[in-house]
């Protein structure tokens, strides 16, 4: 079965030109949370969320109390504990011995909570949080706030990292260059307008088209030639046979625009349910990805910026 997980990574596998998430797809079993050593197996206790410079506490009502981990998962002694950073910033700490995207090392993001309960920062070259490339801007053109939720990688790949884009305003999305962990891209789930980051930036269920069941996804990364590859697409999970939403047109759309279109390749690239059907993308170069979900990619060259606009339909 295609799991209810990792839809963004699955989505990313096509791109002939774009190295977005140039990574392998872990098998379904790779992401089960029960692989994590349980609290009982560990001697000692837990490391509490430190809220160092730039960090953002997520899932604060759960047992993890701020870490970007599944809500019932604690940061136990002898484990890696990923965290969220402010919008536009990337987590700068991970296990430097893991350099390729494969399980279980792909979970080793964040700080290391050692056997004494000290939080270690083995990735000495980077701070806790650092600025992404700044080349991908979310613009909210609808009358309600929109929650963009980024997946935690390295980490459990749940969409726990919040970027709230207020009605009528903009936020920079976190985009990695090639110095980010294993050369991976950032991935986002785009929730329907009005869904809070508390509701949207967690796993979710088929009860609502939020979180893992949000209608659209996006991804971005920058290569060493200062090309930013940005992608928007339908979320394969939204379209699955078992999804209660698969025949429901979202009440909002997304499109890529560029401040300087002469620097952008791949325009137009939009999803507009007012003129198109479910799983349709308006692009001269759209492709079909995992689960048959359509997407399009725009390349913003020479350090140019691309925008993702969210609009009502
Ligand atoms: C696709 O995008 C182009 C350029 O923005 C636009 O002219 C055209 O009407 C769109 N097509 C559909 C079906 O929405």
């Amino acid at each position: 079965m295609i799991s209810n997980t990792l839809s963004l990574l699955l989505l990313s596998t096509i791109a002939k030109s774009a190295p977005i998430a140039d990574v392998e797809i872990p098998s379904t079993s790779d992401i089960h949370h029960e692989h994590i050593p349980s609290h009982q197996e560990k001697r000692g206790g837990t490391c509490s969320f430190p809220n160092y410079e730039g960090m953002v506490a997520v899932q604060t009502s759960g047992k993890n109390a701020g870490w970007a981990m599944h809500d019932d998962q604690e940061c136990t002694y002898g484990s890696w504990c990923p965290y969220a950073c402010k919008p536009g910033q990337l987590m700068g700490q991970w296990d430097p011995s893991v350099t390729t995207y494969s399980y279980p090392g792909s979970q080793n993001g964040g700080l290391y909570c050692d056997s004494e309960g000290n939080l270690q920062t083995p990735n000495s070259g980077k701070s806790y949080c650092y600025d992404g490339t700044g080349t991908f801007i979310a613009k909210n053109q609808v009358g309600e706030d929109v929650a963009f939720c980024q997946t935690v990688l390295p980490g459990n790949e749940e969409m726990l990292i919040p970027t709230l884009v207020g009605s009528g305003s903009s936020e920079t999305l976190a985009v990695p260059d090639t110095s980010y962990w294993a050369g991976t891209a950032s991935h986002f789930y785009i929730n329907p307008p009005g869904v809070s980051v508390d509701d949207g930036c967690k796993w979710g269920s088929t009860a609502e088209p939020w979180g893992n069941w949000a209608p659209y996804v996006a991804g971005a990364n920058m290569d060493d030639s200062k090309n930013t590859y940005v992608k928007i697409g339908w979320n394969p999970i939204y379209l699955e046979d078992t999804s209660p939403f698969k025949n429901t047109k979202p009440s909002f759309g997304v499109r890529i625009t560029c401040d300087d279109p002469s620097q952008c390749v791949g325009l137009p690239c939009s999803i507009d349910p007012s003129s198109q059907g479910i799983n349709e993308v308006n692009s001269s170069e759209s492709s079909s990805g995992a689960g048959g979900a359509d997407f399009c990619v725009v390349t913003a060259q020479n350090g140019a910026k691309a925008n993702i606009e969210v609009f009502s339909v």
Side-chain angles (χ1 to χ4, degrees):
M1 77 179 174
I2 296 285
S3 71
N4 290 331
T5 65
L6 300 179
S7 62
L8 279 166
L9 290 169
L10 293 167
L11 178 75
S12 329
T13 51
I14 311 68
K16 29 190 191 310
S17 56
I20 290 176
D22 194 7
V23 293
E24 299 157 35
I25 300 164
S27 72
T28 305
S29 59
D30 287 350
I31 41 71
H32 287 168
H33 299 293
E34 62 266 24
H35 289 280
I36 310 300
S38 75
H39 187 45
Q40 297 89 302
E41 288 163 5
K42 290 284 172 193
R43 291 182 53 226
T46 61
C47 287
S48 50
F49 181 70
N51 225 339
Y52 292 143
E53 179 64 29
M55 291 184 181
V56 171
V58 301
Q59 303 275 304
T60 47
S61 56
K63 277 186 175 174
N64 68 43
W67 297 102
M69 298 160 69
H70 199 68
D71 60 0
D72 65 356
Q73 190 187 346
E74 294 176 297
C75 176
T76 53
Y77 289 8
S79 68
W80 290 90
C81 305
Y83 52 87
C85 294
K86 287 190 288 201
Q89 293 205 317
L90 294 157
M91 178 174 72
Q93 291 298 315
W94 55 76
D95 181 351
S97 73
V98 180
T99 55
T100 58
Y101 178 72
S102 57
Y103 185 84
S106 61
Q107 304 237 340
N108 295 358
L111 306 180
Y112 185 69
C113 173
D114 72 16
S115 58
E116 317 270 276
N118 301 309
L119 287 169
Q120 296 186 5
T121 54
N123 197 31
S124 55
K126 291 196 187 292
S127 48
Y128 296 114
C129 295
Y130 71 101
D131 287 341
T133 64
T135 52
F136 194 23
I137 315 296
K139 294 189 169 181
N140 178 350
Q141 301 172 340
V142 304
E144 294 173 284
D145 296 350
V146 173
F148 279 67
C149 304
Q150 185 185 346
T151 59
V152 185
L153 181 68
N156 66 5
E157 301 191 48
E158 292 187 10
M159 61 301 294
L160 303 177
I161 303 170
T163 296
L164 184 68
V165 189
S167 171
S169 59
S170 302
E171 287 287 343
T172 301
L173 298 173
V175 176
D177 63 17
T178 56
S179 72
Y180 191 66
W181 179 76
T184 51
S186 54
H187 296 95
F188 302 87
Y189 287 69
I190 307 164
N191 288 278
V195 178
S196 69
V197 293
D198 280 351
D199 288 335
C201 298
K202 63 182 182 189
W203 195 251
S205 73
T206 54
E208 304 282 358
W210 305 345
N212 198 47
W213 283 266
Y216 309 132
V217 291
N221 67 325
M222 181 188 267
D223 70 12
D224 287 336
S225 305
K226 301 245 178 279
N227 295 307
T228 300
Y229 302 93
V230 303
K231 172 162 55 182
I232 54 174
W234 288 82
N235 178 2
I237 304 301
Y238 187 89
L239 306 172
E240 276 182 350
D241 283 348
T242 54
S243 163
F245 316 116
K246 62 177 188 286
N247 298 316
T248 305
K249 277 191 179 187
S251 62
F252 70 108
V254 291
R255 66 180 154 240
I256 302 297
T257 60
C258 294
D259 296 344
D260 179 0
S262 73
Q263 290 293 345
C264 283
V265 176
L267 296 171
C269 174
S270 65
I271 300 175
D272 182 353
S274 72
S275 59
Q276 296 180 291
I278 291 165
N279 200 27
E280 286 186 347
V281 170
N282 188 356
S283 163
S284 55
E285 322 176 348
S286 72
S287 306
S288 233
D294 281 9
F295 67 89
C296 51
V297 178
V298 170
T299 306
Q301 301 170 318
N302 299 311
K305 290 182 181 177
N307 308 305
I308 176 170
E309 300 179 355
V310 181
F311 57 95
S312 303
V313 299

